[in-house]
């Protein structure tokens, strides 16, 4: 791969899909659309191809990849499926749910960062599913962004971040959900736990599993959770047990000031600080200023999540001195997920 390589964005024609499937089957990398965020895919059973994913992203080797499948049967070829896993897969697949399960030996160690478990998911985007079927391989795919930066929700975002490092991007439109999948640790079906919040809630999972699901616990400061701290103190080379639990992640270069809520004074602040951007969850009333932005017209969380990463990227490119944003209200799955991403985005670089 040469540094001058410029990624081509492919329209989703039958011919292009067949071509990209051949690239994947031949050990190459293709950025693919998902309903959550775009992924950078390779044959999950090809260690060399998967190492190229880490290289293109600048991703540390101790951050394992999700393996994407097109059927429950294919999931069973890479992971050991318990009855509990089958039950939640039946309910939520294809969809934004990743299951961490005992791995089968065919999965290369580079994919799982040496863990005994593997993360598996059946994505809901029809083009992603089609590529898995056409290529004939399960596809390992992390989000298609340089490590640590905001996840991509369009083909153009992928090209902006990785365009000089990869050759192929499949355009499947803007990602419908806009935040990454919920990750459920289901290694022990009696003690399921959320490792990363996404569109599917702990409550919805508990209902299917019939046991309580340990919810994702955000740490007030955005510091590493106890789980990761345990792993990293016992052995500095050990993989992060939970995803994106790195304190600082999803980060714009512009400082992000995350507050609990905007209030009556916020718009005066916006008036007095024209070089700082103010990002509202809901369109402010009346005439807005050029430094006032919003994530939804009426405050619907699905719309907020859908547009969050694109808006953060846009503001990050806008030469603002600072970006102010407020937490999403409530405890719904999407509110928890949005606030998790905002907390990480606001955390300072070490
Ligand atoms: O929605 C998504 O999940 C997207 C799309 C492309 O499917 N993918 C995604 O991948 O967000 P990525 O690599 O950005 O995040 C996956 C996270 C990693 O941070 C990793 O720590 C965690 O999944 N993970 C992978 N395997 C794991 C395992 N065996 N145990 C615990 N966590 C694991
Ligand atoms: Mg990611």
């Amino acid at each position: 791969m040469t540094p001058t390589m410029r990624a081509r964005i492919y329209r989703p024609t039958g011919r292009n899909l067949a071509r990209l499937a051949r690239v994947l089957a031949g050990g190459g990398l293709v950025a693919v659309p998902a309903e959550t965020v775009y992924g950078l895919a390779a044959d999950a059973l090809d260690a060399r191809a998967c190492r190229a994913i880490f290289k293109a992203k600048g991703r540390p080797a101790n951050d394992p990849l999700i393996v994407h499948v097109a059927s429950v049967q294919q999931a069973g070829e890479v992971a050991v499926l318990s009855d509990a896993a089958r039950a939640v897969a039946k309910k939520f697949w294809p969809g934004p749910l990743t299951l961490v399960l005992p791995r089968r030996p065919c999965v290369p160690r580079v994919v799982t960062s040496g863990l005994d478990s593997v993360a598996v998911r059946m994505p809901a985007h029809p083009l992603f599913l089609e590529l898995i079927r056409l290529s004939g391989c399960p596809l390992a795919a992390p989000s298609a962004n340089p490590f640590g930066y905001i996840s991509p929700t369009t083909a153009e975002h992928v090209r902006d971040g990785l365009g000089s490092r990869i050759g192929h991007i499949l355009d499947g439109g803007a990602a419908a959900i806009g935040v990454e999948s919920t990750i459920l640790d289901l290694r022990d079906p009696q003690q399921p736990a959320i490792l990363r919040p996404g569109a599917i809630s702990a409550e919805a999972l508990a209902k299917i599993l019939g046991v309580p699901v340990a919810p994702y616990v955000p740490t007030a400061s955005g510091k590493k959770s106890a789980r990761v701290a345990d792993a990293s103190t016992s052995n500095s080379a050990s993989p992060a047990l939970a995803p994106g639990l790195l304190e600082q992640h999803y980060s714009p270069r512009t400082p992000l000031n995350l507050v609990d809520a905007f209030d009556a004074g916020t718009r005066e602040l916006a008036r007095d600080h024209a070089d700082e951007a103010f990002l509202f969850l809901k369109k402010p009333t009346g005439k807005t200023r050029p430094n006032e932005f919003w994530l939804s017209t009426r405050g619907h969380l699905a719309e907020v999540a859908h547009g969050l990463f694109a808006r953060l990227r846009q503001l990050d490119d806008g030469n603002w001195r600072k970006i102010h944003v407020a937490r999403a209200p409530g405890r719904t799955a999407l509110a928890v997920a949005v606030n998790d991403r905002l907390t990480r985005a606001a955390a300072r670089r070490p």
Side-chain angles (χ1 to χ4, degrees):
M1 217 174 284
T2 63
T4 52
M5 182 190 282
R6 185 84 183 136
R8 170 171 165 200
I9 295 181
Y10 293 77
R11 285 184 306 113
T13 62
R15 207 171 143 179
N16 284 341
L17 283 170
R19 171 162 177 200
L20 295 174
R22 281 196 300 275
V23 169
L24 288 163
L29 303 186
V30 177
V32 297
E35 76 281 29
T36 51
V37 301
Y38 274 67
L40 181 59
D43 177 356
L45 304 183
D46 180 339
R48 200 186 47 81
C50 291
R51 272 195 293 275
I53 294 179
F54 284 87
K55 186 153 180 246
K57 275 186 60 102
R59 181 181 177 108
N62 67 356
D63 195 357
L65 306 179
I66 296 173
V67 177
H68 298 76
V69 296
S71 66
V72 173
Q73 189 201 320
Q74 194 171 30
E77 290 165 14
V78 293
V80 181
L81 302 184
S82 54
D83 289 346
R86 286 180 193 281
V88 283
K90 183 154 187 244
K91 172 78 181 167
F92 296 107
W93 283 0
L97 176 68
T98 297
L99 301 177
V100 172
L101 298 166
R103 79 183 248 279
R104 295 210 184 267
C106 64
V107 183
R109 300 189 71 76
V110 56
V111 171
T112 61
S113 303
L115 292 172
D116 295 333
S117 59
V118 60
V120 196
R121 147 172 140 82
M122 191 196 301
H125 199 297
L127 294 174
F128 199 164
L129 286 173
E130 185 67 10
L131 268 187
I132 300 171
R133 290 195 197 100
L134 287 173
S135 65
C137 13
L139 297 178
S143 51
N145 51 304
F147 183 71
Y149 194 62
I150 303 162
S151 295
T153 52
T154 67
E156 289 73 25
H157 293 165
V158 178
R159 185 164 62 188
D160 290 345
L162 296 177
S164 63
R165 304 193 208 166
I166 63 174
H168 313 278
I169 302 168
L170 176 59
D171 192 350
I177 296 176
V179 291
E180 300 85 343
S181 60
T182 299
I183 302 185
L184 177 69
D185 180 357
L186 206 48
R187 288 172 302 168
D188 176 355
Q190 293 309 310
Q191 298 194 14
I194 303 283
L195 299 183
R196 178 177 69 185
I200 294 174
S201 69
E203 293 75 24
L205 291 163
K207 218 164 123 187
I208 303 299
L209 291 168
V211 291
V213 173
Y216 171 72
V217 189
T219 48
S221 63
K223 288 251 180 303
K224 286 178 181 178
S225 81
R227 282 185 109 94
V228 170
D230 287 344
S232 54
T233 46
S234 60
N235 170 3
S236 59
S238 61
L241 236 194
L245 272 194
L246 297 169
E247 176 178 351
Q248 180 261 317
H249 210 112
Y250 308 106
S251 295
R253 296 169 298 266
T254 315
L256 189 72
N257 176 38
L258 175 62
V259 299
D260 283 337
F262 282 168
D263 58 25
T266 304
R267 302 208 59 197
E268 280 171 44
L269 271 178
R271 187 194 57 206
D272 297 342
H273 295 82
D275 56 350
E276 300 180 6
F278 291 76
L279 181 54
F280 294 79
L281 292 171
K282 187 174 144 191
K283 183 177 184 304
T285 50
K287 191 166 171 347
T288 52
R289 300 178 176 280
N291 63 334
E292 292 179 321
F293 301 88
W294 50 94
L295 289 163
S296 74
T297 43
R298 269 177 268 159
H300 291 163
L301 270 174
E303 202 184 337
V304 169
H306 173 74
L308 177 68
F309 289 152
R311 186 60 98 181
L312 286 178
R313 281 170 176 264
Q314 184 206 21
L315 294 180
D316 202 21
D317 289 340
N319 285 318
W320 300 103
R321 242 173 38 82
K322 205 186 252 191
I323 303 165
H324 301 268
V325 64
R327 281 178 198 285
R331 293 289 306 160
T332 58
L334 278 180
V336 175
V338 163
N339 289 336
D340 167 66
R341 305 316 189 267
L342 286 176
T343 303
R344 290 179 206 298
R348 286 185 182 284
R349 281 162 204 279

